[in-house]
Amino acid sequence: MAMLPSEGSMAVQFAYVDTQGEFPSEKVVPVAGKSVTQFAVDSREYRLDMIWNTGVDAGHGWTYSTGLSVPYLSVRSAGRGGTDSASGLGDIVLAPLILTHGWSEHWRTDIRFAVHTPTGNYDRERTANPGRHYWTFEPAIGLYYMQPFTGQMFSVYGGMNINTTNTATDYHTGTQVFLESTLTQSVLMLGGMVGLGITGFAYQQVEGDSGSGALEGAFKGRALGLGPVLQYRAQLAGAQLAADMEWRFPFATQNRPDSDSFSVRLQLIY
């Protein structure tokens, strides 16, 4: 969640993410200890996010927050040789450290550290799994601008994923870096603020894959993505309501599926 609640508040967010993608038919893809061609994947994620701004002063104008994300996934894969499917709890994400600093009335910076825990169901005999079966540590930093009078919102958020080894397949996914940004313009409508804008991302794997399970070598991934975003903000029974709808489509992919992604998020701040 880009926008943290105000000090002493709790934000609860419900999210749905639908992702469908495929590799070029001739591409050989390492999946669950196998090399697969004609590989495609379809996933649906239902996620509950919670974040609490404690209001605790961390010094020098920084405040402390903490968060939790619990996903449920339904995954279906297809490749030469057959299809697989699985559903269940995904990898729970813990955000034990979120530090926020308001530089002015409209500008804010966050420094975050999250841990993706291997709680999701994983079976090396399947090419579709709700979990990844390894830990990921994610330091990140974000910059946010919000001008409520003119309705402009801007965010840029970047970080890296530092992964451990999947012990079931002896596959170590190399470190990845990412950058996401969104720009919207809102107007008064429907009893609140309706915004329309554009969102994009960049992803680059900076360290090659390794381990005996890395059957296709380093397999460094890369992708860029872009798409529209629709937002709604309003007051609802003493709470702040925020709803977002996004569609992102990829381009310039390398060793990644061409995956269109559609997401809907509903957030309440108490």
Side-chain angles (χ1 to χ4, degrees):
M1 292 179 289
M3 304 307 295
L4 283 170
S6 57
E7 294 182 11
S9 297
M10 169 74 75
V12 178
Q13 178 174 268
F14 303 92
Y16 168 74
V17 184
D18 189 319
T19 304
Q20 300 182 36
E22 61 182 6
F23 286 86
S25 60
E26 71 281 0
K27 185 69 175 179
V28 181
V29 182
V31 183
K34 308 174 183 66
S35 292
V36 183
T37 57
Q38 302 177 10
F39 187 69
V41 63
D42 179 0
S43 73
R44 290 173 175 84
E45 178 183 16
Y46 309 86
R47 194 177 72 242
L48 172 64
D49 302 320
M50 293 172 286
I51 192 165
W52 176 38
N53 187 337
T54 67
V56 172
D57 185 359
H60 302 286
W62 294 84
T63 57
Y64 172 73
S65 300
T66 185
L68 171 71
S69 181
V70 182
Y72 179 92
L73 283 91
S74 179
V75 187
R76 183 179 184 275
S77 66
R80 187 171 184 177
T83 63
D84 270 325
S85 62
S87 298
L89 178 69
D91 292 340
I92 293 174
V93 181
L94 307 175
L97 180 65
I98 305 174
L99 297 177
T100 308
H101 191 288
W103 299 101
S104 68
E105 182 181 358
H106 306 302
W107 289 93
R108 196 192 81 232
T109 298
D110 293 345
I111 297 175
R112 307 189 183 200
F113 179 75
V115 180
H116 299 246
T117 67
T119 54
N121 184 18
Y122 184 88
D123 185 343
R124 66 165 296 163
E125 299 303 318
R126 294 194 305 250
T127 57
N129 284 291
R132 295 183 294 183
H133 202 61
Y134 57 84
W135 295 79
T136 297
F137 304 98
E138 181 183 305
I141 186 169
L143 178 66
Y144 311 95
Y145 171 81
M146 183 169 62
Q147 172 52 271
F149 296 106
T150 59
Q152 296 165 347
M153 294 180 63
F154 168 75
S155 69
V156 58
Y157 181 79
M160 65 172 57
N161 290 326
I162 304 168
N163 308 297
T164 63
T165 299
N166 182 333
T167 55
T169 58
D170 191 31
Y171 196 109
H172 180 84
T173 300
T175 298
Q176 307 138 327
V177 296
F178 62 87
L179 184 70
E180 302 181 4
S181 186
T182 300
L183 174 65
T184 60
Q185 174 66 57
S186 299
V187 296
L188 286 169
M189 189 183 297
L190 303 176
M193 298 286 288
V194 176
L196 182 64
I198 189 169
T199 181
F201 73 90
Y203 160 90
Q204 176 68 58
Q205 186 174 338
V206 295
E207 178 189 31
D209 298 344
S210 60
S212 62
L215 303 177
E216 303 306 318
F219 209 75
K220 286 186 178 180
R222 181 187 67 208
L224 301 174
L226 200 65
V229 56
L230 179 66
Q231 298 178 336
Y232 179 71
R233 304 283 186 270
Q235 294 291 322
L236 179 66
Q240 299 177 47
L241 169 68
D244 299 81
M245 184 182 300
E246 292 182 356
W247 173 51
R248 294 179 176 183
F249 55 92
F251 57 94
T253 59
Q254 175 182 305
N255 293 332
R256 297 282 292 179
D258 289 327
S259 300
D260 287 355
S261 177
F262 173 77
S263 65
V264 177
R265 293 185 295 270
L266 179 66
Q267 182 187 85
L268 291 172
I269 300 177
Y270 298 95

